[in-house]
């Protein structure tokens, strides 16, 4: 997998709330596509697909609040609040409507954005993540592969144990949840470990987890009025791929499901060509 981008990237920073500035990378031209990363990543997650997407789209790869070069405030990590800030970024960048693709926690934020700003989000992609409030949500904590959901919600203890051990902790998530073991280089792991080691980043990104019960409560209300826009539910066959289309169909009526063979959780890095094929058939050009 190549991380060498040929496209010329433009880094932008916009203040979207009193205590929040969001960083994003913008490249290309055409209909806008926002790319939203997961944990423990940054906008850099999308580098395997940015060049190709930028041939037909204006790509906006965002650092979520709490991660990368975006602000790391003490509060405000429920996904409805984070979605409102992304919509303020959309407005600041001058886009009337956007297509939104999110992986992992980015998928949770992407759904909240589409559910709360229905006039702005025209297409939605949710990649390899359970949606809080889905029928399976109440049993998800019994899944041993998501032990970290409970651990990360503890106050203070995760910060104490992770600080100074960021590389090993991040590496364990990448290596343990991938089927394509060449997907991440040591340099990739180092980049994400450094990002997590920034002042406030561990506390802030763990705030994404600590808001999950609020997110589930919000989403159970939203699902009473399912989305009608096209939705791409994509996952790795060795992780959420076999379940994701059925789960997302609880929240939307026009769902296309894609399960990528020989792929784990990190779909963009593990199988970028398959992701690009799915997006080429899904996104408006």
């Amino acid at each position: 997998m190549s991380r060498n981008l040929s496209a010329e990237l433009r880094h932008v920073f916009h203040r979207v709330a009193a205590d929040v500035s969001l960083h994003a990378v913008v490249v290309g031209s055409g209909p806008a596509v926002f790319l939203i990363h997961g944990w423990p990543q940054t906008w850099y997650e999308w580098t395997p697909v940015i060049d190709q997407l930028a041939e037909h789209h204006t790509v906006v790869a965002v650092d979520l609040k709490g991660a990368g070069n975006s602000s790391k405030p003490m509060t405000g990590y429920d996904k409805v609040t984070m979605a409102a800030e992304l919509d303020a970024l959309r407005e600041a960048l001058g886009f009337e409507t956007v297509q939104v693709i999110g992986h992992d926690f980015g998928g949770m934020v992407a759904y909240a954005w589409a559910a709360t700003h229905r006039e702005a989000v025209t297409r939605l992609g949710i990649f390899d993540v359970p949606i809080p409030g889905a029928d399976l949500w109440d049993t998800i904590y019994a899944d041993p592969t998501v032990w970290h959901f409970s651990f990360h919600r503890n106050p203070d203890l995760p910060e104490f144990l992770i600080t100074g051990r960021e590389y090993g902790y991040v590496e364990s998530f990448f290596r343990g949840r991938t089927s394509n073991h060449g997907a991440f280089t040591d340099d990739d792991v180092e980049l994400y470990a450094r990002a997590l080691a920034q002042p406030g980043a561990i506390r802030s990104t763990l705030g994404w987890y600590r808001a999950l019960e609020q997110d589930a409560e919000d989403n159970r209300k939203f699902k009473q009025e399912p989305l009608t826009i096209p939705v791409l539910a994509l996952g790795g066959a060795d992780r959420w791929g076999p379940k994701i289309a059925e789960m997302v169909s609880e929240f939307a009526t026009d769902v296309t499901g894609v399960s990528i063979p020989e792929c784990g959780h990190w779909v963009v890095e593990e199988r970028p060509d398959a992701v690009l094929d799915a997006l080429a058939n899904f996104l408006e050009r």
Side-chain angles (χ1 to χ4, degrees):
M1 178 190 67
S2 173
R3 295 272 187 164
N4 297 318
L5 295 174
S6 60
E8 185 174 345
L9 307 179
R10 178 165 61 97
H11 291 262
V12 299
F13 295 83
H14 284 281
R15 185 159 298 280
V16 295
D19 59 348
V20 179
S21 175
L22 292 183
H23 165 252
V25 169
V26 182
V27 62
S29 60
V33 178
F34 271 61
L35 303 177
I36 312 176
H37 65 88
W39 193 93
Q41 298 182 284
T42 67
W43 75 269
Y44 190 76
E45 170 183 354
W46 299 98
T47 51
V49 299
I50 283 178
D51 271 347
Q52 292 88 338
L53 288 177
E55 293 175 3
H56 301 285
H57 304 90
T58 302
V59 175
V60 183
V62 183
D63 278 339
L64 281 173
K65 178 174 67 179
N69 291 317
S70 290
S71 298
K72 300 167 180 62
M74 295 298 294
T75 60
Y77 294 102
D78 65 280
K79 309 311 171 288
V80 170
T81 298
M82 294 176 75
E85 292 158 357
L86 287 173
D87 199 64
L89 177 61
R90 169 198 63 80
E91 188 172 6
L93 292 174
F95 300 118
E96 183 176 349
T97 60
V98 291
Q99 304 169 92
V100 181
I101 309 295
H103 169 246
D104 190 76
F105 267 90
M108 297 183 189
V109 178
Y111 169 71
W113 191 358
T116 54
H117 296 81
R118 298 185 180 224
E119 73 292 343
V121 179
T122 60
R123 290 173 189 260
L124 171 66
I126 298 174
F127 286 8
D128 212 79
V129 69
I131 300 179
D135 289 346
L136 61 71
W137 186 255
D138 289 337
T139 63
I140 195 170
Y141 293 104
D143 182 344
T145 64
V146 295
W147 59 268
H148 58 292
F149 275 38
S150 294
F151 174 60
H152 287 173
R153 292 171 61 217
N154 282 281
D156 301 327
L157 180 62
E159 287 92 330
F160 176 76
L161 294 176
I162 297 169
T163 298
R165 304 173 179 88
E166 292 88 356
Y167 186 97
Y169 198 65
V170 166
E171 184 178 37
S172 72
F173 278 86
F174 291 146
R175 309 296 190 211
R177 289 168 171 77
T178 178
S179 299
N180 176 5
H181 294 288
F184 293 96
T185 67
D186 292 344
D187 287 343
D188 294 332
V189 177
E190 178 65 28
L191 182 147
Y192 291 124
R194 287 200 311 269
L196 191 63
Q198 291 181 88
I202 297 175
R203 167 190 49 76
S204 296
T205 57
L206 295 187
W208 305 349
Y209 290 88
R210 291 164 181 163
L212 284 174
E213 291 312 304
Q214 179 63 55
D215 300 333
E217 181 178 339
D218 291 336
N219 291 347
R220 291 186 185 105
K221 297 174 183 175
F222 299 147
K223 71 190 294 188
Q224 301 306 311
E225 186 180 350
L227 299 175
T228 57
I229 58 173
V231 179
L232 175 63
L234 179 148
D238 298 332
R239 193 61 190 107
W240 289 104
K243 299 179 180 179
I244 195 165
E246 181 180 359
M247 177 178 57
V248 173
S249 293
E250 298 175 31
F251 300 87
T253 60
D254 183 4
V255 177
T256 299
V258 176
S259 182
I260 300 177
E262 299 179 357
C263 185
H265 175 63
W266 313 101
V267 292
V268 177
E269 292 88 355
E270 292 187 61
R271 303 295 176 198
D273 290 343
V275 169
L276 284 167
D277 286 344
L279 290 175
N281 294 324
F282 176 71
L283 293 173
E284 179 186 19
R285 297 195 176 205

